């Protein structure tokens, strides 16, 4: 029975970026922006739940973010996840993908006993699509990006393999990959299931320690209502590889790009039209 770990991110609703979205120091002012479940992570979760439906096993969800990210974890429990873990620590703030993937890989190691790691192909805020592949690299496991389907998970000569289908743009390919492995999932892979009423009733009062008064934590734990909350110490993270310290990339500025009439040119679909366009974008060093 394969065990899956799913990496999900709470992201700012980028269709609603306001002027105070960025702080002076280039970090995202997450407190002021409405947040949503990163769309492709819903498909990553669905891939894990489908697998569990076929082969059994468990689905554990991990999210790194501020305490408010507990909202997406409750959402995953309503959809059928078995366990949810929030990695939250002020020392992780302003982590770029290098630091984020390190922290997530430490969390995956700490959970252990996994066969599949699922991530979304891309987050709609950073938009780098780097975290999944970087996480696989740090875990030293194979990675398959643009996953469309897990065709089969089977044991061959005592070893676990998965046969999968991935999108290659103008078609798809079938791969067999040795497990454990990491998969980044795209939105065309499946249709995320809705919340089940049974799961909602069961988990609607689940809280992380950060969301409740300290004196109530034990009671929540006893009642099985406590969503696990881990710090960087709980995952034995090297603090030099986390947060601002561990991030060579600094986000300089984020702004909404609004296309105006002046902002675009009609390109005639002719050889000459295309050649002029390429010449223009080369001259303005866009490529
Ligand atoms: C506008 C903007 C631009 C940025 N540009 C860069 C940049 O160029 N280089 C850079 O290194 N950093 C950049 N960052 C920082 C980057 O957003 C964070 O490091 C982020 O945590 C991971 O990168 P991403 O958002 O691109 O996610 P992606 O790499 O696109 O995420 C892919 C998948 O990884 C998983 N994942 C990502 N973050 C988390 C998380 N916190 N918790 C759980 N799962 C997660 C999800 O499954 C997600 O679908 C940028 C941030 C912003 C807001």
């Amino acid at each position: 029975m394969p065990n899956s770990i799913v990496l999900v991110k709470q992201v700012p609703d980028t269709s609603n970026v306001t002027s105070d979205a960025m702080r002076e120091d280039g970090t995202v002012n997450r407190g002021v922006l409405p947040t949503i479940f990163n769309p492709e992570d819903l498909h990553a979760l669905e891939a894990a739940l489908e697998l569990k439906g076929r082969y059994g096993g468990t689905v554990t969800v991990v999210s790194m973010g501020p305490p408010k990210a507990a909202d997406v974890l409750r959402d995953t429990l309503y959809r059928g996840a078995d366990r949810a873990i929030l990695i939250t620590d002020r020392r992780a703030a302003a982590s770029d993908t290098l630091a984020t993937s390190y922290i997530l890989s430490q969390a995956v190691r700490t959970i252990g006993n996994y066969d599949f790691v699922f991530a979304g192909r891309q987050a709609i805020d950073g938009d780098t699509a780097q975290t999944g592949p970087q996480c696989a690299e740090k875990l030293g496991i194979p990675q398959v990006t643009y996953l469309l389907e897990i065709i089969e998970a089977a044991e061959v000569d005592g070893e676990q393999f998965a046969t999968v289908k991935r999108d290659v743009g103008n078609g798809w390919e079938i791969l067999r990959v040795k497990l454990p492995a990491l998969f980044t999932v795209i939105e065309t892979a499946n249709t995320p299931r809705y919340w089940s009423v049974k799961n909602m009733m069961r988990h609607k009062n689940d809280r992380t320690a950060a969301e409740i008064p300290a004196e109530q934590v034990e009671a929540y734990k006893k009642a099985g209502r406590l969503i696990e909350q881990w710090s960087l110490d709980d995952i034995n993270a090297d603090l030099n590889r986390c947060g601002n310290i561990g991030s060579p990339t600094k986000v300089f500025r984020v702004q909404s790009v609004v296309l105006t009439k002046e902002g675009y040119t009609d390109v005639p679909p002719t050889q000459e039209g295309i050649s002029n366009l390429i010449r223009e974008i080369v001259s303005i060093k866009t490529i």
Side-chain angles (χ1 to χ4, degrees):
M1 295 197 292
N3 295 329
S4 299
I5 298 176
V6 188
L7 310 177
V8 304
K9 187 180 182 186
Q10 183 181 56
V11 293
D13 179 355
T14 51
S15 62
N16 200 349
V17 173
T18 49
S19 56
D20 53 1
M22 294 298 293
R23 294 198 187 88
E24 287 305 309
D25 64 1
T27 56
V28 179
N29 192 355
R30 293 185 186 276
V32 299
L33 290 166
T35 54
I36 56 171
F37 201 126
N38 184 52
E40 280 188 322
D41 300 353
L42 283 171
H43 298 273
L45 175 64
E46 182 57 32
L49 294 171
E50 263 174 5
L51 197 67
K52 177 187 169 188
R54 273 193 279 161
Y55 298 102
T58 61
V59 175
T60 301
V61 179
V62 177
S63 188
M64 177 188 99
K68 198 171 171 332
D71 292 342
V72 292
L73 294 177
R74 270 184 288 276
D75 186 312
T76 67
L77 294 166
Y78 299 161
R79 291 175 199 262
D82 301 295
R83 182 182 178 194
I85 303 167
L86 175 65
I87 313 291
T88 192
D89 194 313
R90 287 185 182 290
R91 298 168 295 181
S95 288
D96 69 0
T97 58
L98 201 67
T100 299
S101 59
Y102 168 68
I103 293 168
L104 293 173
S105 68
Q106 285 297 106
V108 170
R109 272 204 184 86
T110 307
I111 296 164
N113 188 23
Y114 61 92
D115 305 284
F116 290 77
V117 180
F118 292 101
R121 165 193 47 190
Q122 197 157 338
I124 60 169
D125 57 346
D127 251 353
T128 65
Q130 292 171 9
T131 306
Q134 286 183 350
C135 212
E137 193 58 31
K138 291 180 178 71
L139 291 167
I141 60 176
Q143 58 180 277
V144 176
T145 57
Y146 289 70
L147 182 81
L148 277 171
E149 186 187 348
I150 303 273
I151 298 169
E152 186 195 29
E155 186 170 312
V156 181
D157 304 335
E159 293 191 312
Q160 299 294 330
F161 287 87
T163 305
V164 302
K165 185 177 175 180
R166 67 180 291 263
D167 186 307
V168 291
N170 57 357
W172 40 266
E173 63 183 357
I174 306 285
L175 300 174
R176 195 171 75 149
V177 55
K178 189 167 175 307
L179 298 174
L182 182 141
F183 303 86
T184 74
V185 185
I186 54 178
E187 62 201 354
T188 47
N190 54 40
T191 305
R193 66 197 59 195
Y194 291 106
W195 297 354
S196 86
V197 175
K198 186 170 116 285
N199 289 333
M200 280 173 68
M201 299 315 290
R202 189 159 157 233
H203 293 291
K204 65 182 170 40
N205 298 319
D206 290 10
R207 295 288 180 274
T208 62
E211 294 176 297
I212 53 179
E215 63 275 13
Q216 292 181 13
V217 169
E218 260 331 290
Y220 269 74
K221 203 172 188 173
K222 278 210 187 79
R225 301 263 71 76
L226 194 66
I227 296 175
E228 295 168 72
Q229 179 181 315
W230 291 357
S231 71
L232 295 180
D233 306 321
D234 296 322
I235 58 174
N236 297 317
D238 168 357
L239 298 180
N240 294 318
R241 298 179 67 183
C242 304
N244 222 350
I245 305 169
S247 301
T249 313
K250 304 288 180 249
V251 177
F252 180 59
R253 186 178 56 237
V254 173
Q255 67 194 76
S256 285
V257 176
V258 182
L259 282 182
T260 58
K261 174 96 187 73
E262 291 68 43
Y264 72 92
T265 323
D266 278 331
V267 177
T270 61
Q271 189 58 40
E272 193 195 352
I274 304 297
S275 313
N276 290 343
L277 171 66
I278 292 170
R279 237 176 264 111
E280 187 191 336
I281 52 181
V282 170
S283 69
I284 59 175
K285 298 192 173 24
T286 307
I287 55 174

